[in-house]
Amino acid sequence: MWEQLVLGYPEFGIQFENRLDFAPWAEACGGLGIRVDKCGELEDALTGHLASKVRPSSTCPSTQNEPPMPGKVSYEQAKGFLKAFLAGQPRRATIASTLFRDKISELKG
């Protein structure tokens, strides 16, 4: 979704009915499957990945409104993001409030 937004396109064709959990699938294929539900579990999951002799896969559920943006957003990315919002991005009020909240937290910290 976020790649589509920064290119100037509202999201299309990316929502799944049910969230996928790749950990059981990895186990069924003979790999290491890890599901991370809390931030405190991430370090152990990464340690497990690095120590694994088989291919690991992790599932880390997240909110779709939380941007995985780079530390510094370029002018072109911001311009594309605005273009997508003006073109009818679904849930734009929720996404905008999340971005605003994150910016306030950043300025406070």
Side-chain angles (χ1 to χ4, degrees):
M1 174 182 87
W2 294 95
E3 288 85 357
Q4 290 175 0
L5 288 175
V6 297
L7 291 173
Y9 304 108
E11 69 179 80
F12 178 78
I14 58 155
Q15 299 297 324
F16 296 105
E17 277 294 315
N18 299 313
R19 298 273 177 157
L20 300 176
D21 185 354
F22 290 102
W25 178 80
E27 296 283 338
C29 293
L32 171 67
I34 300 172
R35 181 177 172 91
V36 177
D37 288 307
K38 298 177 186 162
C39 290
E41 300 170 347
L42 188 57
E43 186 175 344
D44 289 339
L46 291 174
T47 301
H49 276 257
L50 294 173
S52 178
K53 301 281 189 226
V54 295
R55 291 183 180 252
S57 173
S58 287
T59 298
C60 300
S62 62
T63 174
Q64 62 190 0
N65 299 321
E66 191 66 41
M69 301 298 282
K72 183 168 174 94
V73 177
S74 73
Y75 172 77
E76 289 301 316
Q77 289 171 322
K79 190 168 88 173
F81 190 80
L82 180 60
K83 181 179 171 186
F85 263 53
L86 295 175
Q89 167 60 31
R91 299 180 327 280
R92 60 183 164 248
T94 304
I95 294 169
S97 66
T98 300
L99 293 171
F100 182 72
R101 183 197 47 176
D102 289 350
K103 193 61 173 174
I104 294 296
S105 294
E106 180 184 318
L107 292 172
K108 283 182 178 179

